[in-house]
Amino acid sequence: MHIVLHQPEIPQNTGNIGRTCVATGTSLHLIEPLGFRLGEKDLKRAGMDYWQHLDVTRYVDYQDFLEKHPGAKIWMATTKAKKCYTDVQFGMDDFIMFGKESAGIPEEILVDNEENCIRIPMGSDIRSLNLSNSVAIVLYEALRQNNFAGLEQQGELHRLHWKNEE
């Protein structure tokens, strides 16, 4: 899977998203301009020591991204979509794009890709969810649809034996 952030502005969100990408084996694609430098401490703090393991690619603009991924299936997460993210079928090689925190994906991009626009349902009195939360919601649905391929699905409790001595 691939997560695409179109001009992200807040380093903590991108750091959190990077950590989620590492945990899920997902590639992260950043379309410039970014609202921060990749070396910022807030980005590193949010991404913790996972950032060094992240498969991340930067693009100078949206056109550069498209040229490097011709024919790619790109889902566009937006509050302006008519379709819910649970109503589409995600493939393991799909790209899921999210826009910058203050404005989302530019309308001219959305208009050209309306059939691939998806939304997360929410109340009408809020503009949007937090970007890193939105990425996690949609990404985990896409992974669920693909049986969490490549991910560990079971954990194990380490049972401690406590002795009640009286």
Side-chain angles (χ1 to χ4, degrees):
M1 304 249 45
H2 302 269
I3 293 297
V4 182
L5 301 182
H6 187 272
Q7 302 177 353
E9 299 167 313
I10 301 173
Q12 295 92 330
N13 282 335
T14 300
N16 288 334
I17 292 164
R19 183 175 179 176
T20 299
C21 287
V22 171
T24 58
T26 302
S27 299
L28 179 60
H29 303 264
L30 302 174
I31 298 175
E32 297 182 0
L34 308 180
F36 51 86
R37 290 185 310 281
L38 288 180
E40 282 192 28
K41 69 178 182 179
D42 289 337
L43 177 82
K44 300 288 187 190
R45 184 179 304 127
M48 297 181 64
D49 56 346
Y50 297 100
W51 194 263
Q52 65 188 345
H53 303 291
L54 179 62
D55 175 17
V56 61
T57 306
R58 291 171 69 174
Y59 305 87
V60 295
D61 57 24
Y62 178 65
Q63 194 58 43
D64 181 33
F65 169 78
L66 290 178
E67 288 169 5
K68 291 185 173 138
H69 302 284
K73 178 71 170 187
I74 306 168
W75 298 102
M76 302 198 172
T78 173
T79 59
K80 298 170 181 157
K82 291 183 171 81
K83 276 189 278 198
C84 180
Y85 74 102
T86 57
D87 294 335
V88 301
Q89 283 299 127
F90 294 98
M92 282 303 293
D93 294 324
D94 288 358
F95 292 76
I96 308 169
M97 180 182 286
F98 297 82
K100 62 182 165 184
E101 291 88 342
S102 66
I105 299 170
E107 188 116 357
E108 60 270 16
I109 293 174
L110 296 175
V111 168
D112 289 342
N113 297 280
E114 189 172 358
E115 70 281 358
N116 291 337
C117 290
I118 55 175
R119 71 174 279 122
I120 299 169
M122 66 185 89
S124 61
D125 58 339
I126 186 165
R127 287 187 313 276
S128 65
L129 295 171
N130 172 273
L131 179 60
S132 62
N133 292 339
S134 297
V135 168
I137 289 167
V138 178
L139 176 58
Y140 267 89
E141 171 60 16
L143 293 167
R144 184 197 66 78
Q145 288 183 13
N146 288 276
N147 299 311
F148 298 106
L151 300 180
E152 188 175 308
Q153 294 188 46
Q154 292 184 343
E156 184 177 324
L157 291 173
H158 299 285
R159 300 191 185 277
L160 298 175
H161 299 283
W162 296 92
K163 208 176 205 180
N164 189 2
E165 295 180 26
E166 295 191 19

